[in-house]
Amino acid sequence: MSLDKRENSVGTVSAEKILIDKPLTLACGFVLPSHELMVETYGTLNADNSNAILICHALSGNHHAAGYYEGDEKPGWWDSYIGPGKPMDTNRFFIVSLTNIGSCFGSTGPTTINPETGKVWGADFPALRARDWVESQKLLMEQLGIDCWAAVIGGSLGGMQAMRWALEYPDKLANSIVIASSMKLSAQNIAFNEIARRAIKSDPDFHDGNYLHHNTLPKHGLALARMIGHVTYLSDELMGQKFGRELRSGTFLQGEAAPIEFQIESYLNYQGDKFSSGFDANSYILITKMLDYFDLSREYQNNSVGAFSHAKCDFLVVSFSSDWRFSPERSREITDALIAAGKNVSYAEIESDLGHDAFLLPNPRYEKVLGNYLSRVADKFEAASKGAAK
Amino acid sequence: MNQDISFINSWIKPDSRVLDLGCGDGSLLATLTQELNISGYGLEIDPESISQCVAKGVNVIEQDLNNSLHNFPDNSFDTVIMTQALQAMRYPHLVLDEMLRIGSQCVITFPNFGHWRARAYLTLRGRMPVTKQLAYQWYDTPNIHFFTYSDFEALCRERNITVLRKKFIGEHFPDRQLKNLWPNLFADTAVYHLSK
């Protein structure tokens, strides 16, 4: 492992399992009497508990957002943006990253034991909405002794949580940072999610979601679901640049019978297989459904301006030019509604050919905008802390 | 071009909503927010300027003014400002209409191509002026429309736009002394306060 990569890293980290021993009523009506959350934190909470950032992960994210696990060479999924001197500067902020309920990295979800039955939840895990994640995060916040987030930040589904926070708990966050997100999914977006779910459900090993009881995994279906998703997270340009029509094996020569395999095929198969051995199929179904359900303004007479008028925090909205799954247009809708609602908002459309995945990857302009915004957030609470100390 | 146009503070109502088209590094909005407690938003496309606005805490929206401003509803702002950018718009007259659709008033500043220095440059050298105000070569300039203060007034008359106030800027001799007497010749920058 190169040491350079670890420069400005939060270093070796470990996760903690936190028991939330309070009932959580889900949007579907189901009550979880208690639940567990896998949590990582980076940086130090300041004396007046005012420097905390909540990271909201997206479909396949988890609590390991930054730093390295002992003996692991791969950093957390948002390591480019979290660390000393990085946009989410751990010298100034205390950063909280968790795996939300319903996912499959140790927090309560389809792969954990249902205390009622003593068996894994599997397909019986209740349906979730983005607001359920916000409610669970709110309970975690109380347990950590944080009264107000300096910022709630997320990309994609994470951005939906950041927006929901602003409406549900307007006094509990100072800034909402919404990256590559949308107030609701388009029909095309829902369509892609349904194809992914169908791929999983068509796997003979799926057993109506009770595959763990059958000691099997619908790996084939989940890999297929991920391959479809993966294509939509990249841009045509990027795929062209990265893979083009390069062959991995075989030849176009006439008279040769060996089958050809394009690089893109091999890459996608590899990504699908890797994902299907690390993610849970029920979680994938649950969380894609959650994305489909999300509609920021549904309970506000479908009026996004009316919805955002409940918010009290400031907003930063960021999109990426080649993202067609959560296109810049969707982010502009968020921005326009926020302006009409009279909220403080800045919007940047970052030039990138990396598609939807751009929000996870290094990009100097994105780093600068996010860094400048958060630096000002930190200036504010640091000045307030100083004032309070006097 | 960072001219002092702090006098426009008295043209803008405290606590009002202000939209600055082509807001640059956000200095003007920052000042107006500090002094008049306005609720301000700036539109900008230059990445560096956008970062600077964000660093200042000025609301900045990445949007190209040459594309539509239809995302802003009618009368959604009290004042729409545009400083030194009208000459760079593809269709200045349509932008002007849009400004007065979105705001009940607008403040607009532009370089006066009728200034004697520009006239002298063109007359004597026979070349398109490259001055401090108009610092680009003709083939590579964001300023794609050249017009004088008189041209602008004619456009306002044609489109039934009311000129509430105007002010002329010219700091150097003899501009400072003569700019109000003969603005089309001695003002290098014109500042207009308009309404429908």
Side-chain angles (χ1 to χ4, degrees):
Chain A
M1 150 189 18
S2 88
L3 282 172
D4 303 339
K5 258 183 95 180
R6 291 210 171 192
E7 235 175 78
N8 302 325
S9 161
V10 294
T12 305
V13 297
S14 57
E16 190 189 347
K17 187 178 270 186
I18 295 183
L19 171 70
I20 307 289
D21 202 8
K22 278 183 185 168
L24 172 62
T25 306
L26 303 174
C28 67
F30 192 94
V31 181
L32 281 176
S34 68
H35 64 278
E36 290 180 317
L37 295 173
M38 292 298 289
V39 180
E40 280 180 24
T41 66
Y42 322 108
T44 315
L45 190 61
N46 65 8
D48 45 2
N49 296 359
S50 60
N51 69 333
I53 286 180
L54 173 68
I55 306 281
C56 301
H57 68 70
L59 171 57
S60 58
N62 58 34
H63 53 275
H64 186 37
Y68 296 79
Y69 287 150
E70 196 72 61
D72 201 350
E73 300 212 353
K74 206 172 162 257
W77 56 271
W78 225 359
D79 194 72
S80 309
Y81 292 87
I82 303 168
K86 291 181 183 173
M88 287 174 247
D89 189 346
T90 45
N91 292 327
R92 305 179 83 182
F93 290 100
F94 174 66
I95 294 162
V96 177
S97 174
L98 74 157
T99 290
N100 290 291
I101 53 170
S103 192
C104 49
F105 297 94
S107 298
T108 299
T111 56
T112 63
I113 304 291
N114 176 358
E116 292 263 305
T117 63
K119 288 186 184 166
V120 288
W121 282 94
D124 294 336
F125 198 82
L128 293 172
R129 307 250 181 128
R131 66 175 64 248
D132 296 324
W133 282 9
V134 170
E135 294 303 325
S136 158
Q137 291 157 358
K138 172 72 175 19
L139 293 174
L140 174 66
M141 177 191 198
E142 287 166 10
Q143 199 145 320
L144 295 173
I146 295 161
D147 184 52
C148 181
W149 300 109
V152 175
I153 306 181
S156 194
L157 172 59
M160 293 172 168
Q161 295 157 63
M163 287 187 280
R164 187 58 81 198
W165 260 99
L167 304 193
E168 289 298 305
Y169 295 106
D171 295 313
K172 297 292 175 192
L173 72 166
N175 292 275
S176 169
I177 301 184
V178 181
I179 304 166
S181 193
S182 172
M183 292 189 282
K184 58 184 170 203
L185 291 196
S186 64
Q188 187 195 46
N189 232 329
I190 296 169
F192 280 122
N193 284 342
E194 178 56 15
I195 295 168
R197 288 187 292 262
R198 178 84 178 251
I200 293 169
K201 291 174 182 171
S202 308
D203 189 321
D205 286 332
F206 183 63
H207 296 290
D208 289 329
N210 295 313
Y211 44 87
L212 292 177
H213 301 155
H214 289 80
N215 291 315
T216 162
L217 291 169
K219 278 194 172 187
H220 180 76
L222 185 56
L224 193 50
R226 186 58 178 181
M227 286 164 76
I228 295 156
H230 206 88
V231 170
T232 70
Y233 301 144
L234 303 179
S235 71
D236 191 18
E237 296 96 303
L238 181 77
M239 275 200 179
Q241 280 167 24
K242 216 168 155 182
F243 307 102
R245 293 176 52 80
E246 295 297 309
L247 293 184
R248 182 166 170 88
S249 61
T251 165
F252 290 122
L253 281 178
Q254 295 199 15
E256 293 282 339
I260 54 150
E261 187 187 21
F262 285 98
Q263 285 288 1
I264 183 64
E265 296 176 72
S266 144
Y267 170 80
L268 267 186
N269 279 306
Y270 168 76
Q271 289 295 335
D273 292 340
K274 192 176 84 171
F275 186 79
S276 69
S277 55
F279 207 84
D280 178 64
N282 282 320
S283 290
Y284 204 82
I285 291 172
L286 205 61
I287 302 173
T288 52
K289 270 285 177 200
M290 186 169 154
L291 272 157
D292 295 357
Y293 274 132
F294 187 80
D295 183 347
L296 189 82
S297 327
R298 190 190 289 120
E299 69 202 88
Y300 300 93
Q301 288 82 47
N302 297 313
N303 177 346
S304 53
V305 179
F308 277 129
S309 67
H310 294 267
K312 291 183 183 167
C313 63
D314 294 346
F315 291 81
L316 173 66
V317 180
V318 178
S319 73
F320 299 91
S321 56
S322 60
D323 183 351
W324 55 280
R325 191 86 195 252
F326 289 80
S327 69
E329 194 54 42
R330 301 286 84 76
S331 288
R332 278 196 291 266
E333 287 165 1
I334 297 169
T335 306
D336 287 341
L338 284 165
I339 295 172
K343 301 300 160 188
N344 283 321
V345 55
S346 282
Y347 168 63
E349 189 176 314
I350 309 292
E351 186 71 31
S352 165
D353 58 10
L354 300 174
H356 186 52
D357 274 353
F359 85 87
L360 301 164
L361 302 166
N363 175 311
R365 202 188 146 207
Y366 173 29
E367 282 161 36
K368 190 160 190 188
V369 169
L370 191 56
N372 282 3
Y373 189 90
L374 284 172
S375 171
R376 206 181 143 77
V377 171
D379 289 344
K380 267 192 199 168
F381 64 67
E382 282 165 12
S385 298
K386 257 187 208 160
K390 269 177 198 167
Chain B
M1 269 175 278
N2 280 322
Q3 271 145 340
D4 178 19
I5 53 164
S6 52
F7 55 83
I8 71 164
N9 287 13
S10 64
W11 299 4
I12 290 167
K13 273 191 258 121
D15 308 313
S16 62
R17 275 168 69 82
V18 177
L19 181 66
D20 186 356
L21 305 181
C23 65
D25 68 1
S27 302
L28 178 63
L29 281 175
T31 310
L32 291 174
T33 306
Q34 205 173 13
E35 295 181 6
L36 299 171
N37 190 39
I38 57 138
S39 169
Y41 300 85
L43 302 193
E44 185 51 64
I45 45 166
D46 176 51
E48 187 48 41
S49 299
I50 291 170
S51 295
Q52 287 171 13
C53 287
V54 168
K56 282 194 184 83
V58 166
N59 294 322
V60 61
I61 311 301
E62 183 158 346
Q63 185 169 341
D64 188 343
L65 306 180
N66 278 319
N67 296 342
S68 158
L69 292 171
H70 281 165
N71 54 322
F72 293 97
D74 295 359
N75 297 311
S76 50
F77 282 84
D78 297 298
T79 307
V80 180
I81 301 177
M82 180 182 265
T83 57
Q84 306 295 83
L86 193 65
Q87 75 283 356
M89 296 295 106
R90 208 175 296 144
Y91 300 110
H93 61 304
L94 300 183
V95 172
L96 202 56
D97 287 350
E98 280 293 86
M99 289 175 73
L100 285 164
R101 176 186 66 77
I102 297 164
S104 40
Q105 302 186 347
C106 77
V107 173
I108 194 152
T109 85
F110 56 86
N112 177 25
F113 196 69
H115 187 258
W116 65 269
R117 220 179 290 272
R119 296 190 196 203
Y121 201 111
L122 180 60
T123 310
L124 300 176
R125 299 195 191 187
R127 303 271 310 268
M128 288 304 280
V130 179
T131 64
K132 228 182 241 177
Q133 278 284 315
L134 303 158
Y136 297 90
Q137 292 291 344
W138 64 273
Y139 47 81
D140 182 18
T141 172
N143 305 320
I144 53 175
H145 298 281
F146 288 125
F147 52 100
T148 70
Y149 134 79
S150 298
D151 286 329
F152 184 75
E153 293 232 327
L155 178 67
C156 290
R157 275 195 302 276
E158 208 176 279
R159 301 186 97 75
N160 287 322
I161 294 168
T162 310
V163 176
L164 299 172
R165 295 185 182 92
K166 53 189 167 183
K167 200 150 164 109
F168 303 105
I169 300 177
E171 294 308 319
H172 304 289
F173 177 82
D175 302 352
R176 188 196 289 273
Q177 289 72 20
L178 297 170
K179 66 188 181 205
N180 291 321
L181 200 66
W182 197 348
N184 206 32
L185 195 54
F186 292 104
D188 58 35
T189 301
V191 187
Y192 276 80
H193 189 194
L194 309 171
S195 77
K196 272 162 264 196

